[in-house]
Amino acid sequence: MATLSPTVAVKYPQTRHGGGSGAPPTHGNGGGDGRGANGSPDYGERLRRARLGLVVGLTPVIMMFVSFTSAYIVRKGLPTVDPRTNSYVHDWLSVNIPWGLLLVNTVILLISSVTMELARRQITRQAALAPVSSIPGVSLGEEKTFPWLGVTVVLGLGFLIGQWMAWQELAARGFYLATSASSSFVYLLTGMHAIHLAGGILALLFAAATSLLRKPVEGRRIVVDITAWYWHFMALLWIYIFALIEIAR
Amino acid sequence: MASTEIIHAHAAPQGFIRKYIFSLDHKVIGLQYYFLALIAVFVGMGLSLLMRIHLIWPNANLPIFGAIKPETYLMFLTMHGTIMVFFVLTTAPQGGFGNYFLPIQIGAPDMAFPTLNMLSFWTTFVAFVVLVAAFFVGAPLHGWTGYAPLSAVPSAGPGEGLGADLWITSIAIFCAASLMGALNFITTVLDMRAKGMTMMRMPLTCWAWFITAILGLLAFGVLLAAGILLLMDRNLGTSFFVPGGLNFTGQTSFPTGGFSSSTDLIKHNGGSPLLWQHLFWFFGHPEVYIAILPGMGVASQLLSTFSRKPIFGYRAMVYAMLGIGILGFVVWGHHMFMSGMSPYTAFAFSIMTMAIGVPSAIKTFNWLGTLYQGRVRFHTPMLFAIGFVSLFVSGGLSGPFLAQPVLDIPLHDTYFVVGHFHLIMGVAAIFGIFAATYYWFPKMFGRMMSEGLGRWHFFLTLLGTYAIFMPMHYLGLAGQTRRYSEFTQVAYQTKLIPLQTFITYAAIVTISAQFIFLFNLFWSMAKGKKATDNPWEATTLEWTTATPPPHDNFGGRTPVVSHGPYEYSVPGAARDFVMQNDPATTPAH
Amino acid sequence: MGLALLALIWLITFVSTYFFVAKTWWFPVGASASAAWIDHQFAVTFILMGIVFVAAQGALGLFVWQYRDRGATQPVHYSHGNAKLEIIWTVLTAVLFIGLNLMGSRVWATERFDPPEVGAVPVEATGLQFAWYFRYPGPDGKYGRTKAELEDASAGGESAVGLDPSDAASKDDIVSGTMYIPVNREVDLALRAQDVIHSLFIPSMRFKQDAVPGLIIHMHFKPIQTGDYEIACAELCGLGHYKMHGMLKVVSQEEFDKWLASKEAEKQ
Ligand code: HEM
Ligand SMILES: [Cu+2]
Ligand SMILES: [Cu+2]
């Protein structure tokens, strides 16, 4: 059953069969693998796809923190049986969180979000100019390249160190991981957030490494762009967590 | 007449490792998933055979395994369930066939993120290795649901030490892998469809994979969270799931096996065992749909193809799957009616569960409607698709019993439940996998599978699975509790042993029949009849390309789609099928 | 092939249905007040689902045979479905399923939402690996204090539930491995577990409830027929789950009083 018949020029159907709310057919060049018709990588398309991937990928992160939150709220409200008296008691212990220190960390993280955004815009500009500057003889002049990326990494690490200090402070106040359900949740939420942020830092370091390898700036731009949005999300997530452990103590 | 656009082809990688081991090609990755699942399913099946034998002859001395102890039985049970649910039913239909055929069916050259795709497979592989490792240190005995505190306290039983840690770790790794996969599937569907491939022109298989991916994306994050909490309870002394004042003195009065328990009070306070159940089933119920939705997609595709008739109610099918997907997230409490959860909550969950029966019924109706007044061709894939419908009906109709809290009182945690979920999620989903294998084998390997062997396989398997799982409903009514390693201790249950024995014999026959499939699979790869590009005269895009498909799927071209996926027997058309990329001028609805 | 399929599907349907209808394996005779209700609800559900089952499997078998491929001349009805049928079908199943559910909810409500009758017999059931213990508060009507660190399953009896002898209320508490209850009186049951989750399952009473560590769950049921009834554990609780069974003895009020008195006497 030969079904691969000679190629016939067919007009692209104007009316969509079946109608429906389907998204319009998306990519113009049909390749779909991020390569333009001439075989060179289509960075615009790849960026769009990566951003879509990020939005999708953040969903499970949200779901995870939603789970932690609901566990937190439920555990806080639920009476438990005291094995000594066999009666229900409310045993929730308010954690005395070092909120001054956490506030400082919050500021650091917010500043890093700003520098991250500056880094993103910087590399976007560079990527836009890349095709031009690669033409021999064209000089765009020395653009001052402030190392926003490096600053972000440093601030990110600063935040993590700050969180570590907050943990030390918690321990000094007698709240260890297993002290009470409340302290377990504080360590859990801050810890999981820190791990996610560390992932962002690794991505930035990866972008920096590719710049040393003289990979095209467009590819690096995608990494930085995605990480930037991820970073902003982490900042928001942190504010949420901070509010949760402060308000629902 | 195939209409295509010419695009630049990208080169296939060279070298064995890049090509077959760490391949970025979705087709190779799909096959990797498939063969991982194939290994897993035979391991899981072997375990079930050992279990069935032990249930009937508890004191038998088996070769290699010796006498199976009660705790060994429960370890087999845990591994059987975990392997089957995660590494077979989640892996083969989605990771295997989804990976291979989703991009081709929507006319894309690959998945959206090939590297992530490769990572996702190898992460799954690591999860499998970690799970198998649990065998060697003593697997946990807490079942695939891992209810705390049994799963949270090492002194709760043999295997609850390192074995349980490995089990949880494996599941956590699996979650990460599935999330990567889900991300890829969703982005691919949203962003990589060929020209003219609107959402409402996608084959129902693609819809099923897409919705399955969304369910996975929402559910696996929750299981991951639960797994992290459980690991913390076990190893860091937190009390999320473990209440205070637990005492395991009971173990010492039980002399079986070389296990010595601690008589210490467990140092925990105030955790909630029900919290684990809520988190687990919030994942767990969507998970059963993750297992079955791809099967529904395949059944729809095959019933239409082999009845030479458009699918009955394409839109209704899509909406039903979406409805199942959405409702699937609000029914988890139906696993917990007897758990001590508030009876008011039970009420709400019960209504929601009944509501989810409605889209399931729509699907059945539409499958029957597709067959009605068609021209049914009985190739092996079609046989399995018909078997799928039959099993789906049988398994689905026990749902409304379990969904009513009052009826769940006598039925919960009995063999009735075991029969129910095996028919609908176990065997029906497996039939989906078989149907898909027979259907797509020619495309994947360029040869046809033997029809004769396929028929034998089908008839023995359908009869066999009914013989195994239908009597389990009767056992459940009679009060046979599940997860028992012997039926010798409770007087009323000893009376049921003859029926149990029948089930074991049926299991032996059915499991033996699977070797027909295994032989057919490998024999046909080498010796099968050469396949043409479109042996089933089907309409979707995978049948427009070469067999097996080239590295970029369409050989430097990309299809342009002008028709819906199931245009069979269109009045006025030259052939009895109109392919999706036939010119728009071809008559079609 | 079509005929073979038809035969197979119909055969499976017939055999499956036969054993349900013949009740070859069925619920044990119900001996509690709610059993009749539950069995009735089951029967209604069973008849409705049975009809759907036979109809759907019957149609499946019939269609594959009747519409088997008989060559190219066989007409195929080209259709994409029928919205009206689709809607009728959806509404019908919705009404059927939800209606069924609402019917059954009354039993559930009286069992779970109402408090136990006045004069119900208080019994506390404790699950531990791998036995059930039943405690009666004695003449003072109050359960004595228990302590986790006093629990010792190997000693059995009062030590198994960790009864604290220093508490005055525990002086007259009775702990038994067999559950005795008088007929025609409601049992006010409190469920506890010491180690992992267990589930008290008494098939003849149509009773089942998990016993969860960290929770005290109250439940009530009313036996209406004397006799010995087996108790099984229905929630996986460890390697001895399969042998965690017990006995329920439903006896007359006099016998129950006699039993209690003899137990109290033993204690002195
Ligand atoms: C369509 C695919 C379905 C799948 C794959 C599926 C799968 C499962 C599984 C795996 C269980 C396991 C219970 C256990 O381990 O204890 C289960 C239980 C249950 N299913 Fe389904 N099911 C499906 C459809 C339905 C339908 C249509 C209903 C109701 C209308 C339903 C209602 C229930 C209920 C209420 C339980 C809990 C029973 C109990 O714990 O006692 N299911 N199902
Ligand atoms: Cu469920
Ligand atoms: Cu048990």
Side-chain angles (χ1 to χ4, degrees):
Chain A
M1 265 133 278
T3 53
L4 271 176
S5 339
T7 305
V8 177
V10 173
K11 273 237 296 286
Y12 177 67
Q14 288 304 305
T15 51
R16 260 189 280 137
H17 170 92
S21 57
T26 40
H27 44 86
N29 62 34
D33 62 344
R35 277 160 207 278
N38 57 3
S40 67
D42 179 345
Y43 287 108
E45 176 155 337
R46 267 171 55 183
L47 177 65
R48 195 170 43 86
R49 185 165 301 155
R51 282 181 180 169
L52 178 61
L54 179 76
V55 172
V56 177
L58 287 179
T59 319
V61 180
I62 295 175
M63 284 310 286
M64 200 162 139
F65 280 92
V66 166
S67 317
F68 290 144
T69 307
S70 57
Y72 184 101
I73 304 288
V74 167
R75 178 64 184 83
K76 181 165 185 285
L78 216 64
T80 55
V81 167
D82 182 342
R84 285 175 301 274
T85 60
N86 269 328
S87 56
Y88 284 102
V89 290
H90 277 277
D91 66 342
W92 187 262
L93 196 66
S94 232
V95 180
N96 183 2
I97 57 172
W99 75 272
L101 184 52
L102 290 182
L103 208 59
V104 174
N105 290 346
T106 310
V107 173
I108 294 178
L109 191 61
L110 288 180
I111 295 175
S112 81
S113 211
V114 173
T115 61
M116 183 76 247
E117 183 60 20
L118 292 171
R120 189 183 76 81
R121 296 192 176 178
Q122 181 184 51
I123 199 160
T124 306
R125 224 166 23 247
Q126 284 172 2
L129 295 177
V132 186
S133 60
S134 64
I135 301 171
V138 175
S139 165
L140 296 164
E142 281 304 295
E143 204 202 341
K144 302 180 295 292
T145 49
F146 192 82
W148 290 119
L149 219 53
V151 174
T152 311
V153 170
V154 170
L155 286 173
L157 289 173
F159 174 81
L160 289 185
I161 294 168
Q163 293 293 78
W164 176 255
M165 285 161 57
W167 280 14
Q168 299 288 325
E169 179 58 31
L170 270 176
R173 296 179 186 187
F175 289 101
Y176 296 93
L177 174 62
T179 302
S180 73
S182 47
S183 67
S184 301
F185 274 110
V186 170
Y187 280 97
L188 172 76
L189 289 165
T190 50
M192 292 312 291
H193 175 262
I195 290 174
H196 279 88
L197 195 80
I201 294 179
L202 284 182
L204 291 186
L205 292 176
F206 171 76
T210 55
S211 91
L212 294 180
L213 293 174
R214 309 213 153 274
K215 286 274 174 63
V217 66
E218 290 93 336
R220 190 151 30 97
R221 178 207 168 190
I222 294 177
V223 179
V224 172
D225 188 275
I226 295 305
T227 315
W229 295 118
Y230 179 78
W231 199 273
H232 299 328
F233 175 75
M234 280 302 134
L236 275 179
L237 182 62
W238 167 248
I239 290 170
Y240 165 73
I241 291 173
F242 193 15
L244 182 70
I245 58 181
E246 179 60 32
I247 295 168
R249 260 200 292 170
Chain B
M1 295 285 170
S3 53
T4 52
E5 283 197 330
I6 297 174
I7 57 150
H8 177 84
H10 52 130
Q14 304 300 319
F16 182 77
I17 299 225
R18 288 298 304 278
K19 220 165 154 177
Y20 296 111
I21 309 292
F22 295 113
S23 172
L24 299 181
D25 185 338
H26 70 100
K27 296 185 286 300
V28 178
I29 296 171
L31 289 176
Q32 287 172 327
Y33 266 115
Y34 184 80
F35 283 106
L36 178 66
L38 192 68
I39 293 169
V41 79
F42 272 84
V43 175
M45 215 170 61
L47 290 172
S48 70
L49 184 63
L50 290 171
M51 278 162 27
R52 278 315 311 180
I53 288 175
H54 173 77
L55 285 174
I56 301 309
W57 301 287
N59 303 314
N61 244 311
L62 300 179
I64 309 174
F65 296 94
I68 296 175
K69 296 194 288 262
E71 57 268 37
T72 321
Y73 173 86
L74 292 177
M75 291 171 184
F76 288 174
L77 175 92
T78 308
M79 292 303 244
H80 165 79
T82 312
I83 288 177
M84 288 299 197
V85 171
F86 290 99
F87 293 96
V88 179
L89 296 185
T90 314
T91 300
Q94 187 80 357
F97 292 111
N99 243 315
Y100 200 113
F101 288 103
L102 175 80
I104 309 187
Q105 284 197 330
I106 62 171
D110 205 326
M111 280 283 186
F113 308 110
T115 314
L116 196 67
N117 204 12
M118 173 191 79
L119 271 178
S120 150
F121 168 74
W122 284 106
T123 315
T124 310
F125 183 78
V126 170
F128 187 62
V129 171
V130 173
L131 187 69
V132 171
F135 254 126
F136 294 96
V137 300
L141 45 66
H142 53 225
W144 87 279
T145 48
Y147 277 14
L150 184 56
S151 62
V153 179
S155 48
E160 292 305 323
L162 183 56
D165 282 323
L166 288 176
W167 180 82
I168 303 164
T169 310
S170 164
I171 285 179
I173 299 173
F174 187 88
C175 289
S178 299
L179 289 173
M180 290 186 233
L183 195 169
N184 224 336
F185 274 68
I186 294 171
T187 314
T188 306
V189 168
L190 291 180
D191 200 37
M192 300 194 53
R193 280 168 288 123
K195 254 188 196 170
M197 179 61 82
T198 59
M199 290 299 270
M200 281 300 174
R201 271 185 194 160
M202 287 203 304
L204 287 170
T205 41
C206 294
W207 267 109
W209 288 319
F210 179 55
I211 295 170
T212 303
I214 296 175
L215 294 189
L217 196 74
L218 295 172
F220 276 109
V222 177
L223 182 63
L224 184 56
I228 291 170
L229 297 185
L230 188 56
L231 274 177
M232 286 174 72
D233 269 10
R234 295 176 51 85
N235 298 305
L236 301 176
T238 56
S239 304
F240 296 109
F241 306 128
V242 189
L246 297 196
N247 191 330
F248 284 84
T249 57
Q251 291 274 343
T252 50
S253 65
F254 198 85
T256 322
F259 173 70
S260 74
S261 81
S262 110
T263 47
D264 303 334
L265 269 186
I266 304 297
K267 301 265 181 303
H268 281 279
N269 213 345
S272 162
L274 292 194
L275 178 60
W276 167 265
Q277 296 183 22
H278 279 295
L279 291 175
F280 182 85
W281 286 118
F282 185 87
F283 148 80
H285 196 83
E287 166 63 30
V288 306
Y289 291 111
I290 289 173
I292 196 75
L293 276 171
M296 294 181 178
V298 168
S300 309
Q301 165 110 359
L302 269 58
L303 286 172
S304 171
T305 303
F306 292 101
S307 305
R308 316 309 294 165
K309 207 172 151 249
I311 190 82
F312 189 95
Y314 175 91
R315 269 159 190 283
M317 288 303 229
V318 172
Y319 296 146
M321 281 198 279
L322 284 170
I324 287 175
I326 294 165
L327 285 174
F329 278 102
V330 290
V331 300
W332 78 88
H334 68 212
H335 298 267
M336 298 171 60
F337 290 148
M338 301 301 122
S339 69
M341 180 179 75
S342 149
Y344 296 95
T345 328
F347 201 64
F349 278 123
S350 149
I351 295 272
M352 288 307 195
T353 305
M354 282 304 216
I356 210 173
V358 176
S360 311
I362 294 175
K363 301 219 67 124
T364 309
F365 175 65
N366 287 3
W367 287 324
L368 292 175
T370 305
L371 288 167
Y372 182 71
Q373 296 186 335
R375 194 163 68 224
V376 181
R377 296 178 179 173
F378 297 107
H379 295 289
T380 314
M382 179 58 164
L383 295 181
F384 276 96
I386 293 168
F388 176 93
V389 176
S390 170
L391 288 161
F392 187 79
V393 170
S394 305
L397 284 174
S398 49
F401 290 84
L402 296 167
Q404 298 178 55
V406 267
L407 299 188
D408 200 37
I409 296 172
L411 298 178
H412 173 68
D413 265 350
T414 65
Y415 267 68
F416 192 91
V417 174
V418 182
H420 160 71
F421 73 77
H422 273 95
L423 280 185
I424 196 149
M425 135 151 140
V427 190
I430 296 273
F431 266 54
I433 298 174
F434 282 141
T437 306
Y438 285 102
Y439 180 68
W440 278 313
F441 185 92
K443 188 52 67 180
M444 296 191 292
F445 298 106
R447 290 173 187 274
M448 308 297 289
M449 285 180 84
S450 157
E451 283 281 316
L453 290 177
R455 272 178 204 169
W456 272 106
H457 176 221
F458 168 75
F459 279 106
L460 284 171
T461 308
L462 187 70
L463 201 59
T465 46
Y466 267 111
I468 298 170
F469 295 114
M470 196 46 92
M472 288 190 181
H473 295 85
Y474 314 142
L475 290 171
L477 296 183
Q480 179 58 60
T481 35
R482 72 191 273 220
R483 291 167 167 175
Y484 271 31
S485 60
E486 286 175 27
F487 306 121
T488 53
Q489 301 297 316
V490 185
Y492 77 81
Q493 296 184 352
T494 56
K495 300 204 190 82
L496 303 171
I497 289 181
L499 189 54
Q500 294 280 14
T501 312
F502 170 78
I503 293 177
T504 294
Y505 284 120
I508 292 173
V509 172
T510 314
I511 289 174
S512 312
Q514 302 320 304
F515 288 91
I516 303 177
F517 170 75
L518 200 63
F519 173 79
N520 195 352
L521 189 71
F522 288 106
W523 182 84
S524 303
M525 267 181 214
K527 295 260 161 66
K529 203 173 75 188
K530 279 255 189 285
T532 55
D533 285 342
N534 188 4
W536 313 122
E537 303 186 299
T539 53
T540 43
L541 292 181
E542 75 271 32
W543 306 108
T544 64
T545 185
T547 286
H551 176 66
D552 69 348
N553 292 346
F554 296 97
R557 295 152 185 280
T558 188
V560 176
V561 174
S562 325
H563 301 284
Y566 302 116
E567 294 297 331
Y568 292 99
S569 306
V570 184
R575 302 179 296 192
D576 82 338
F577 60 107
V578 177
M579 303 200 69
Q580 285 204 273
N581 68 340
D582 277 349
T585 47
T586 312
H589 168 72
Chain C
M1 185 54 47
L3 200 60
L5 256 181
L6 170 107
L8 182 66
I9 293 173
W10 282 15
L11 178 79
I12 288 170
T13 311
F14 175 76
V15 175
S16 308
T17 317
Y18 172 80
F19 285 112
F20 274 115
V21 174
K23 301 193 177 179
T24 319
W25 296 276
W26 203 250
F27 293 113
V29 175
S32 72
S34 58
W37 281 105
I38 294 179
D39 291 3
H40 176 255
Q41 180 67 16
F42 187 91
V44 172
T45 310
F46 175 70
I47 290 168
L48 291 174
M49 293 304 125
I51 293 170
V52 179
F53 175 68
V54 173
Q57 302 283 11
L60 181 65
L62 186 67
F63 288 176
V64 297
W65 170 73
Q66 190 179 353
Y67 301 110
R68 68 192 180 280
D69 188 358
R70 283 180 265 200
T73 51
Q74 181 188 345
V76 171
H77 181 70
Y78 177 78
S79 132
H80 284 271
N82 181 329
K84 204 155 71 188
L85 266 180
E86 209 79 74
I87 291 167
I88 294 175
W89 183 261
T90 310
V91 172
L92 273 183
T93 29
V95 169
L96 175 70
F97 283 7
I98 309 280
L100 206 53
N101 197 302
L102 293 178
M103 271 179 62
S105 58
R106 195 172 36 175
V107 194
W108 180 257
T110 49
E111 269 227 319
R112 313 259 154 168
F113 300 164
D114 298 349
E117 289 170 5
V118 279
V121 191
V123 183
E124 181 198 75
T126 303
L128 52 90
Q129 288 177 329
F130 297 96
W132 291 106
Y133 285 96
F134 302 93
R135 182 153 71 119
Y136 301 78
D140 67 354
K142 267 165 68 184
Y143 293 116
R145 189 167 54 225
T146 57
K147 281 188 165 164
E149 54 276 24
L150 296 177
E151 289 162 4
D152 182 3
S154 52
E158 287 158 20
S159 320
V161 298
L163 194 64
D164 180 1
S166 67
D167 184 17
S170 61
K171 290 280 185 288
D172 60 350
D173 281 17
I174 286 173
V175 179
S176 161
T178 304
M179 185 178 186
Y180 274 81
I181 40 176
V183 71
N184 287 330
R185 255 177 86 190
E186 208 154 56
V187 188
D188 176 8
L189 196 63
L191 283 128
R192 300 206 303 139
Q194 280 181 6
D195 35 37
V196 299
I197 302 177
H198 305 272
S199 188
L200 188 78
F201 178 30
I202 319 173
S204 304
M205 297 291 141
R206 304 290 185 273
F207 181 88
K208 185 182 284 138
Q209 177 57 51
D210 285 6
V212 184
L215 292 181
I216 300 170
I217 297 171
H218 284 271
M219 207 55 67
H220 52 95
F221 68 94
K222 185 190 222 167
I224 53 169
Q225 212 172 316
T226 55
D228 292 359
Y229 304 103
E230 285 191 280
I231 300 172
C233 176
E235 185 61 66
L236 176 60
C237 55
L239 64 137
H241 174 46
Y242 72 103
K243 53 163 65 175
M244 184 168 166
H245 76 302
M247 269 320 234
L248 164 66
K249 284 180 187 290
V250 178
V251 295
S252 65
Q253 183 68 44
E254 301 84 74
E255 268 179 87
F256 178 70
D257 293 338
K258 229 168 41 214
W259 175 77
L260 261 189
S262 76
K263 279 290 197 182
E264 293 288 355
E266 258 173 54
K267 253 199 110 161
Q268 304 314 316

